[in-house]
Amino acid sequence: MGLFGTSSRTAESTPKGECPQCWRHAHDPSAHRGLGPRQDCPQCIDHMINGCPGINRR
């Protein structure tokens, strides 16, 4: 993996045991590109509150 934002890893190459959405949002800068400064990502907030679907969902 190179500098921040240069990784080619996406949800299609999510490591086993990792949530595809969490992985994409952590490693693909385009996931949050549409957000404004200091604007929270609704999907990330949902994950922080409720956990990852199918992995540790409350």
Side-chain angles (χ1 to χ4, degrees):
M1 179 154 59
L3 297 173
F4 177 77
T6 61
S7 172
S8 62
R9 298 194 95 163
T10 61
E12 292 81 37
S13 61
T14 304
K16 186 175 180 176
E18 296 288 337
C19 170
Q21 181 176 327
C22 289
W23 184 261
R24 178 175 174 265
H25 282 235
H27 298 279
D28 181 3
S30 69
H32 296 126
R33 192 164 284 141
L35 297 175
R38 302 186 54 80
Q39 183 179 1
D40 292 325
C41 172
Q43 292 90 359
C44 289
I45 297 296
D46 179 65
H47 270 58
M48 286 190 283
I49 295 170
N50 298 310
C52 301
I55 296 176
N56 62 351
R57 196 75 170 176
R58 289 182 187 179

